[in-house]
Amino acid sequence: MSTTESARRVWRWFAMQEDSAADNTDLFAQLVAESPVVHFPGLWVVSRHDLVAKFSNHPGLTMVSPEFPADMREENPDFTEFFSNSMSVRAPEDHRRLRGVLAREFTGRSVERLREKISHIIDTLLAGPTAEGGFDFVSRMAVPLPSLVTAALLDLPEEDWGQVTTWSRGMLAQLGKSFPGAQPTTEPISVEGFQKLRSYVESVVRERDTPNGTDVISRLNASRRSGQLSHDEVVNMVLLLFMTGVDTVTSGLTNALLCLLTRPAEWQRVVEDPEKWAAPAFAESIRLLAPVTFGARVAAEDLSIGNIVIRKGEIVLLAFAAANLDPRRFEAPLEFRWDRTQNASMSFGHGAYFCLGAGLGSLQSELLLARLAQDGIALSQPADSLPWRSELTFNSPAVLPVRLGTGLEV
């Protein structure tokens, strides 16, 4: 395929003229190998690993705010106002300030403290499917697990976790309505639903405004008292935690399991020693099948980066999924290898907007894969017949039918 043909194919994909509801690994591999920098009118697609790394850290490229349709702004103004002012899309200086406060809650030590709670959540989620034998991994495990772990991270009462999961999925569905090609499978959160959620968070924040509190929300309140955050920023940060990274972990879990179950020799290694191999298996699996296809940035000013000139206002799409398959960075990039340098993977983004919850997402995945290796699991539908998510941002199967039990052939 010529460079021109590669560029045309990626354009068709972004324009939804080529099926986005499919495994697009071949497209990403061809893109980075043949057309690592593509320029369309007002739009750049960058996939070469070193350039994605450089662009991810460039101060002149900032996060793109979602373009909420007029009818969406009218039907749920509170939600659209919240997200438009959230940490994810704030100006760089504010983003760095807010991120600096929140990053303290996602250190390796902080994440490791949740190991026992996450294992308990996994046990609870698997109780039903274990009895049933067969189930859809996406809806029964990959969707609820990250939301429930967020509830545990925030030390919310366990009796509230079910409602929190419903709110979380509703907010993601509402946000998803602004993405090209999105077809939410969950009912978007209503005006009344978001007001109830905000009231719930306001109440929890007020209850935990004490000097001696040691939980995450109490520490965020301490940052407010020291002048690092406002009250609204504390509330919005908690609300954002119900959303941010949840879909990434859902897609990552799904992709990792699919990748391993379609590679029996690699999965067998995990089965034989889950404690040793579950974590590297997850890392290499989501390098091959990245959960997030790209991150969008906008040029805040005219920029010259190497021999690339980007005009103010132009959109730059950082193709993380393609960068993970760059043959300049990864030898035989389409092969599963255990000896990769995993810190080169861009599965959780890169640079200034790198996912703060990457460590927490990886721990969930490590524990879940280890448990599934112990219990036994196999696909109950051919991998090449699986339906995939239709939105452009996330690249993973929409469903993943599996069956549990020891001695199953994957």
Side-chain angles (χ1 to χ4, degrees), residues 108-255:
R109 181 177 297 180
S110 298
V111 167
E112 187 60 30
R113 291 194 192 105
L114 291 169
R115 179 177 289 268
E116 187 174 334
K117 287 185 177 181
I118 295 171
S119 294
H120 169 69
I121 293 169
I122 290 171
D123 290 344
T124 302
L125 288 174
L126 278 174
T130 299
E132 298 164 11
F135 67 103
D136 171 32
F137 176 80
V138 175
S139 61
R140 297 290 292 273
M141 291 298 303
V143 167
L145 179 59
S147 295
L148 293 173
V149 169
T150 298
L153 168 73
L154 294 171
D155 284 302
L156 300 178
E158 198 161 337
E159 59 267 24
D160 295 345
W161 288 8
Q163 180 60 68
V164 166
T165 299
T166 300
W167 281 329
S168 172
R169 300 310 303 176
M171 284 200 292
L172 287 167
Q174 186 68 261
L175 179 63
K177 289 170 64 177
S178 68
F179 293 158
Q183 298 175 356
T185 56
T186 304
E187 185 69 23
I189 196 167
S190 64
V191 174
E192 296 77 13
F194 185 73
Q195 289 172 346
K196 287 180 181 178
L197 168 58
R198 190 170 190 97
S199 295
Y200 173 83
V201 172
E202 289 268 11
S203 175
V204 174
V205 169
R206 284 195 299 271
E207 289 172 3
R208 300 191 187 177
D209 191 8
T210 58
N212 299 320
T214 59
D215 61 281
V216 171
I217 295 175
S218 294
R219 289 194 292 270
L220 292 177
N221 272 322
S223 296
R224 176 190 55 77
R225 290 193 297 273
S226 68
Q228 298 175 72
L229 299 174
S230 69
H231 171 76
D232 282 347
E233 286 173 339
V234 173
V235 172
N236 285 349
M237 200 170 277
V238 175
L239 286 169
L240 189 63
L241 286 173
F242 289 158
M243 299 175 62
T244 186
V246 170
D247 253 339
T248 304
V249 175
T250 292
S251 290
L253 286 168
T254 305
N255 286 358

Side-chain angles (χ1 to χ4, degrees), residues 42-43 60 64 297-302 310-316:
L43 173 69
V64 175
R297 306 288 185 266
V298 62
E301 57 192 21
D302 288 348
I310 303 171
R311 299 303 179 191
K312 180 179 180 179
E314 287 194 309
I315 301 297
V316 179

Side-chain angles (χ1 to χ4, degrees), residues 35 106 203 266 295 321:
S35 304
F106 289 94
S203 175
E266 317 307 343

Side-chain angles (χ1 to χ4, degrees), residues 79-90:
F79 174 82
T80 55
E81 181 181 2
F82 145 70
F83 194 80
S84 297
N85 290 287
S86 69
M87 184 181 85
S88 294
V89 294
R90 291 280 281 271

Side-chain angles (χ1 to χ4, degrees), residues 10 13-14 28 31-33 35-40 43-56 61 292-297 303 305 307-310 314-326 328 346 350:
V10 77
W13 185 70
F14 282 119
F28 302 141
L31 175 66
V32 68
S35 304
V37 179
V38 181
H39 188 210
F40 303 111
L43 173 69
W44 293 83
V45 181
V46 180
S47 56
R48 204 175 81 191
H49 190 281
D50 62 329
L51 291 179
V52 173
K54 183 179 291 187
F55 282 34
S56 295
L61 293 172
V292 178
T293 54
F294 63 85
R297 306 288 185 266
L303 302 172
I305 305 175
N307 61 353
I308 300 171
V309 178
I310 303 171
E314 287 194 309
I315 301 297
V316 179
L317 296 180
L318 304 175
F320 299 128
N324 276 355
L325 304 175
D326 188 348
R328 306 165 190 82
M346 294 185 172
H350 190 79

